[in-house]
Every structure is written in structure tokens, then in C-alpha cells.
Amino acid sequence: TRIRQLVRVNLDGSMDSTFHYNKATKQSGVGANGVILDAMMQPDGKLILVGTFTSFNGVQANRIVRLKLDGSVDGDFNAGTGANSDIVSIRYNTVTNKIVVGGSFTSFNGKPASGVNLLNADGSNVSSFIGQTVTGGITTFVGQLNNGKIIVSGTYNKYGDYLRQGFMVLENTGQLAVGYNNTGGFQGTLYDMVETATAAGTQVILVGDIIRFNSTLPRNVIRLNFNN
């Protein structure tokens, strides 16, 4: 069965032909005209895809698109003109009801946004999030905690005028979180994070190809403590 880039399967592993599939032609839609690098699902089952593409199923979608439950493009998603360059990472937090994206872009839907941006659940910009310029590399992982703070990792070495070698924690306003950015350099790539609440605050497990963090060799998994 000709399927481009994504498929939904039933619990027994068989293909769900009600998603992104034309029964008359017996093949999927044309999909994205570039690479899908990451994806997330909202509570209502709608899927948001990000990557290097500029269209999906023939509809303009600059590096981000939301699909309806049948796999068609959701025209109600308010990302507008989207990102002006690749989006590498996307995460959605059900507590804050916000989406955070990261990548090589410098603007999102006309708003200056260097490597990281915070969105409302409908894809529109969070106007109160004003980030600094990421230089020396790009953002490759982003994730928002339940307390609103945002973990950002990548290959960069500066955030605005501040030296941040590959890892930083931002407030939901885009400013560096006071007391959380005194760690040393980071080397590697984060793939995912898991947050758990504790009596003292929050613990976050980070996993990936982690070579070095704050002068330690974590063997690809680390756990950080956050005091709310």
C-alpha cells in the first residue's frame, strides 16, 4: 500500500484506512514536501507535525501543520505563515496548555523568534514570550515543564549576550530563569524528557545521546532537580 511519511495503525497492527488514505485511489495523500522531524498529539487527537517542509497535501504549511482526525490539514490551526526555517522539536504541555517549538528559524508567523518559540494551543504566538537571539548553532530540543519553565538544548553557545553552551532553562517569558543557568557546558543531543513531581519541587529525567553535562559523563541519561 502506497503510504507517504505517516500511517495510523489499529491495535492489531493493521493499517487504519480512515486516516490520511484515499480508498478510491488506494494510496495516501501526497504528504509533506520535505522531512517530518517531530510530532505531537493534542488531547483531542489532532496531530501537529514539524520539520523542513513548506506544504502538506498541497496546502501551504511552513514547517508546521496540524492534521484533523482523518489526516487532512486543519485550516483552523493559527500558525499563519509558520516558521521561516526548520522546526526540529515540538512539545505540548497539558498543564500550561502551551506548545513550544525549537529549531533553526528566526521568525514565526511574522514574530521575531530565534530558535525557540512558545505557542498557544491553537498555534498562535504567545505575545508575552520574547526570546533572545540564539547564536553559534541551533536549538534541537525544547520542552516546557508544568511550572512554565522551558528546557532548551542544542548546538548553540550564546543566548543573547549570555554564554550558554548547549543547555539553558527559560521562563515562560523567554528570559533566562534565575538560579537555573549556572551549569557548565552541554554536549550531545536530547531526545526526550520525563517530569515527575516531588515534595521539594520537580524532577526531570533527560535522555538522549548525552556526552557531557556540567563536567560529568552521564551515559545518556541524567536527572535534574527543579525547585518550583
Side-chain angles (χ1 to χ4, degrees):
T1 303
R2 182 180 181 274
I3 297 291
R4 283 183 54 84
Q5 297 173 310
L6 73 161
V7 62
R8 186 167 66 194
V9 297
N10 299 308
L11 292 179
D12 63 357
S14 61
M15 186 187 76
D16 182 355
S17 60
T18 66
F19 179 80
H20 198 237
Y21 182 73
N22 187 320
K23 292 183 179 180
T25 61
K26 296 184 179 180
Q27 61 185 26
S28 70
V30 296
N33 67 340
V35 180
I36 298 171
L37 295 175
D38 203 0
M40 50 137 290
M41 184 175 289
Q42 294 183 298
D44 60 2
K46 291 182 178 180
L47 188 67
I48 301 178
L49 312 175
V50 297
T52 68
F53 54 86
T54 57
S55 70
F56 190 91
N57 282 354
V59 179
Q60 181 176 332
N62 287 320
R63 288 91 185 185
I64 186 168
V65 65
R66 185 168 71 183
L67 305 183
K68 298 179 181 179
L69 300 186
D70 63 358
S72 61
V73 174
D74 186 356
D76 293 330
F77 191 56
N78 293 323
T81 57
N84 69 337
S85 189
D86 299 346
I87 300 178
V88 178
S89 177
I90 183 171
R91 290 294 184 279
Y92 170 72
N93 186 292
T94 58
V95 174
T96 64
N97 198 30
K98 294 292 188 291
I99 300 167
V100 61
V101 292
S104 60
F105 55 86
T106 57
S107 71
F108 190 97
N109 196 15
K111 169 191 171 184
S114 178
V116 57
N117 193 33
L118 191 63
L119 308 176
N120 294 304
D122 65 355
S124 60
N125 284 315
V126 174
S127 58
S128 59
F129 182 87
I130 304 174
Q132 304 296 312
T133 302
V134 172
T135 55
I138 68 168
T139 296
T140 58
F141 177 85
V142 290
Q144 187 177 41
L145 305 180
N146 293 341
N147 62 14
K149 289 182 172 59
I150 301 169
I151 292 177
V152 183
S153 180
T155 59
Y156 56 85
N157 55 34
K158 290 188 73 176
Y159 184 67
D161 294 329
Y162 296 93
L163 182 65
R164 294 307 307 147
Q165 294 186 339
F167 186 89
M168 59 185 173
V169 180
L170 305 180
E171 299 287 359
N172 60 6
T173 60
Q175 302 303 303
L176 288 169
V178 177
Y180 291 91
N181 287 284
N182 55 359
T183 57
F186 173 90
Q187 290 179 284
T189 304
L190 295 183
Y191 297 146
D192 207 355
M193 72 179 196
V194 178
E195 177 183 1
T196 56
T198 68
T202 297
Q203 288 185 332
V204 181
I205 297 174
L206 303 173
V207 297
D209 183 16
I210 307 172
I211 301 170
R212 181 179 295 273
F213 180 80
N214 199 23
S215 75
T216 64
L217 306 177
R219 298 182 184 274
N220 300 326
V221 59
I222 55 177
R223 185 172 67 185
L224 304 180
N225 295 314
F226 288 80
N227 296 321
N228 293 333

